[in-house]
Amino acid sequence: MTSVKASNWTSLGSGLDLEGRILFADTIADRLFVGGNFRHSGNNPTNSFAAWTGVVWDTNYSGMTDQNPVHDIYRFESKLYAGGSFRKAGGKTVNGFTYWNGLEWDSINIAFHNNGVLSGFSEINSELICVGSFDSVGLDSSPNIASWDGFSWNSIGLPHAISGY
């Protein structure tokens, strides 16, 4: 017979007031980042994005300023990115895609048409692949998938006429 020894559950402060959707354990910032549809982490207003230090909720990363959720979090080329259906972060219009510049959330020149939503990230061939519900990035048709190389967007979707989108 095999015996198993389990650890105990530990609370993270007083938790989140609403739904958490994504966890990202970041060894560079030494934080557990949480994205979702919440307004507070612990007793702190953090609007959809929070950071746990292992002891307390870190409010330095708060700044999503609307009531829409963060769907994914990813570190790409030393920058921390957040994607979702939020429109504002750090007082700037970000259209669901933003990065932490070391001091605040910053905007990236992007135009998802039809109120696009980013729902997931992955990295391949030194590009950040972004999926979600959008028909284009900027002036380029790219239904539901595009790549970011750290400086510009690249269309990798099929044209609308072929995809039927």
Side-chain angles (χ1 to χ4, degrees), residues 43-124:
N43 295 320
N44 307 306
T46 50
N47 270 355
S48 304
F49 192 95
W52 177 253
T53 68
V55 178
V56 297
W57 289 105
D58 181 349
T59 60
N60 290 329
Y61 295 89
S62 62
M64 304 300 173
T65 54
D66 61 22
Q67 301 294 310
N68 296 309
V70 169
H71 296 286
D72 205 359
I73 302 164
Y74 198 86
R75 185 166 292 279
F76 174 70
E77 293 186 346
S78 77
K79 292 181 182 169
L80 185 69
Y81 287 87
S85 55
F86 54 89
R87 297 289 166 238
K88 299 237 181 220
K92 301 171 182 90
T93 299
V94 296
N95 293 320
F97 184 72
T98 186
Y99 74 96
W100 182 254
N101 68 17
L103 299 172
E104 64 184 352
W105 293 106
D106 213 338
S107 63
I108 297 168
N109 186 15
I110 182 172
F112 285 126
H113 295 232
N114 295 330
N115 289 323
V117 173
L118 281 180
S119 56
F121 296 126
S122 189
E123 185 176 348
I124 189 167

Side-chain angles (χ1 to χ4, degrees), residues 3 5 20 29-30 33 59 65 86 116-117 147 159 164:
S3 65
K5 185 172 185 169
D30 197 26
F33 292 109
T59 60
T65 54
F86 54 89
V117 173
S147 68

